[in-house]
Short mmCIF file of all heavy atoms in Angstrom, two decimals:
data_model
loop_
_atom_site.label_atom_id
_atom_site.label_comp_id
_atom_site.label_asym_id
_atom_site.label_seq_id
_atom_site.Cartn_x
_atom_site.Cartn_y
_atom_site.Cartn_z
N GLU A 26 2.93 8.73 35.64
CA GLU A 26 1.59 8.33 35.99
C GLU A 26 1.36 8.44 37.42
O GLU A 26 0.31 8.99 37.92
CB GLU A 26 1.27 6.93 35.53
CG GLU A 26 0.88 6.74 34.04
CD GLU A 26 0.31 5.43 33.75
OE1 GLU A 26 0.87 4.43 34.06
OE2 GLU A 26 -0.77 5.35 33.15
N ASN A 140 -7.97 18.17 24.81
CA ASN A 140 -7.07 17.08 24.69
C ASN A 140 -7.59 15.91 25.45
O ASN A 140 -7.56 14.68 25.08
CB ASN A 140 -5.73 17.37 25.21
CG ASN A 140 -4.92 18.26 24.17
OD1 ASN A 140 -5.16 18.30 23.04
ND2 ASN A 140 -3.91 19.02 24.73
N PRO A 154 -18.69 11.17 22.47
CA PRO A 154 -18.73 11.53 21.03
C PRO A 154 -17.71 12.61 20.69
O PRO A 154 -17.25 13.22 21.62
CB PRO A 154 -20.22 11.90 20.80
CG PRO A 154 -20.93 11.43 21.99
CD PRO A 154 -19.98 11.41 23.10
N VAL A 158 -19.99 16.83 17.45
CA VAL A 158 -21.38 16.32 17.66
C VAL A 158 -21.99 16.83 18.99
O VAL A 158 -23.23 17.23 19.00
CB VAL A 158 -21.21 14.71 17.70
CG1 VAL A 158 -22.51 14.13 18.25
CG2 VAL A 158 -20.90 14.09 16.49
N LYS A 191 -37.57 36.38 48.99
CA LYS A 191 -39.04 36.27 48.67
C LYS A 191 -39.77 35.10 49.23
O LYS A 191 -40.93 35.26 49.59
CB LYS A 191 -39.22 36.44 47.15
CG LYS A 191 -38.84 37.77 46.55
CD LYS A 191 -38.90 37.77 45.06
CE LYS A 191 -38.70 39.17 44.53
NZ LYS A 191 -37.75 40.05 45.05
N SER A 216 -31.43 28.14 32.57
CA SER A 216 -31.17 26.66 32.78
C SER A 216 -30.28 26.52 33.95
O SER A 216 -30.56 25.62 34.81
CB SER A 216 -30.44 26.13 31.59
OG SER A 216 -30.07 24.76 31.73
N SER A 234 -36.53 23.67 54.74
CA SER A 234 -36.54 22.28 55.27
C SER A 234 -36.47 21.25 54.12
O SER A 234 -35.97 20.11 54.41
CB SER A 234 -37.73 22.03 56.11
OG SER A 234 -38.87 22.30 55.35
N ASP A 246 -42.97 22.89 21.76
CA ASP A 246 -42.86 21.42 22.08
C ASP A 246 -41.44 20.95 22.02
O ASP A 246 -41.00 20.15 22.93
CB ASP A 246 -43.64 20.52 21.02
CG ASP A 246 -45.17 20.75 21.20
OD1 ASP A 246 -45.71 21.04 22.27
OD2 ASP A 246 -45.90 20.63 20.21
N LYS A 257 -34.31 14.98 33.24
CA LYS A 257 -34.22 13.61 33.65
C LYS A 257 -32.79 13.17 33.89
O LYS A 257 -32.49 12.37 34.83
CB LYS A 257 -34.70 12.79 32.35
CG LYS A 257 -34.80 11.29 32.51
CD LYS A 257 -35.35 10.63 31.21
CE LYS A 257 -35.34 9.07 31.41
NZ LYS A 257 -35.87 8.42 30.21
N SER A 282 -55.67 23.32 42.34
CA SER A 282 -54.80 23.03 43.44
C SER A 282 -54.71 24.24 44.45
O SER A 282 -54.61 25.37 44.06
CB SER A 282 -53.34 22.65 42.99
OG SER A 282 -52.45 22.54 44.01
N ASP A 292 -39.36 30.44 30.33
CA ASP A 292 -38.50 30.84 29.17
C ASP A 292 -39.39 31.51 28.12
O ASP A 292 -40.50 31.03 27.71
CB ASP A 292 -37.85 29.54 28.62
CG ASP A 292 -36.65 29.89 27.73
OD1 ASP A 292 -36.36 31.12 27.68
OD2 ASP A 292 -36.10 28.98 27.03
N LEU A 297 -46.09 34.16 25.86
CA LEU A 297 -47.22 33.80 26.52
C LEU A 297 -48.50 34.56 25.93
O LEU A 297 -48.37 35.59 25.49
CB LEU A 297 -47.16 34.16 27.98
CG LEU A 297 -46.12 33.42 28.83
CD1 LEU A 297 -46.05 33.99 30.25
CD2 LEU A 297 -46.44 31.94 28.90
N LEU A 311 -49.37 35.02 31.96
CA LEU A 311 -48.41 35.30 33.06
C LEU A 311 -49.10 35.70 34.30
O LEU A 311 -48.67 35.36 35.43
CB LEU A 311 -47.48 36.59 32.56
CG LEU A 311 -46.47 37.08 33.60
CD1 LEU A 311 -45.50 35.93 34.00
CD2 LEU A 311 -45.66 38.23 32.94
N THR A 420 -38.63 33.47 6.14
CA THR A 420 -39.70 34.21 6.72
C THR A 420 -41.00 33.46 6.29
O THR A 420 -41.02 32.78 5.21
CB THR A 420 -39.74 35.68 6.19
OG1 THR A 420 -39.65 35.58 4.73
CG2 THR A 420 -38.49 36.44 6.73
N ASP A 435 -49.03 19.41 -4.78
CA ASP A 435 -47.74 19.11 -4.14
C ASP A 435 -47.88 18.12 -2.93
O ASP A 435 -48.92 18.14 -2.33
CB ASP A 435 -47.07 20.40 -3.54
CG ASP A 435 -46.49 21.32 -4.64
OD1 ASP A 435 -46.24 20.76 -5.79
OD2 ASP A 435 -46.44 22.42 -4.45
N TRP A 467 -35.95 20.09 15.95
CA TRP A 467 -36.10 20.03 14.48
C TRP A 467 -34.64 20.37 13.88
O TRP A 467 -34.22 19.58 12.95
CB TRP A 467 -36.98 21.11 13.96
CG TRP A 467 -36.98 21.31 12.49
CD1 TRP A 467 -37.73 20.63 11.60
CD2 TRP A 467 -36.18 22.32 11.83
NE1 TRP A 467 -37.35 21.01 10.31
CE2 TRP A 467 -36.46 22.14 10.42
CE3 TRP A 467 -35.33 23.29 12.13
CZ2 TRP A 467 -35.84 22.78 9.38
CZ3 TRP A 467 -34.66 24.04 11.17
CH2 TRP A 467 -35.01 23.79 9.75
N ALA A 468 -33.93 21.31 14.43
CA ALA A 468 -32.57 21.63 13.89
C ALA A 468 -31.63 20.47 13.88
O ALA A 468 -30.83 20.30 13.03
CB ALA A 468 -32.08 22.88 14.50
N VAL A 538 -35.77 37.48 14.88
CA VAL A 538 -35.54 36.08 15.41
C VAL A 538 -34.71 35.22 14.43
O VAL A 538 -33.73 34.58 14.83
CB VAL A 538 -36.87 35.39 15.78
CG1 VAL A 538 -36.69 33.93 16.05
CG2 VAL A 538 -37.54 36.11 17.01
N LEU A 539 -35.09 35.29 13.26
CA LEU A 539 -34.50 34.34 12.16
C LEU A 539 -33.09 34.76 11.87
O LEU A 539 -32.25 33.91 11.80
CB LEU A 539 -35.28 34.48 10.94
CG LEU A 539 -36.73 33.72 11.00
CD1 LEU A 539 -37.49 34.11 9.70
CD2 LEU A 539 -36.71 32.28 11.24
#
Side-chain angles (χ1 to χ4, degrees):
E26 276 194 311
N140 287 338
V158 169
K191 288 172 172 45
S216 180
S234 58
D246 290 331
K257 184 177 180 181
S282 174
D292 195 9
L297 293 175
L311 178 57
T420 53
D435 286 338
W467 172 84
V538 168
L539 292 171

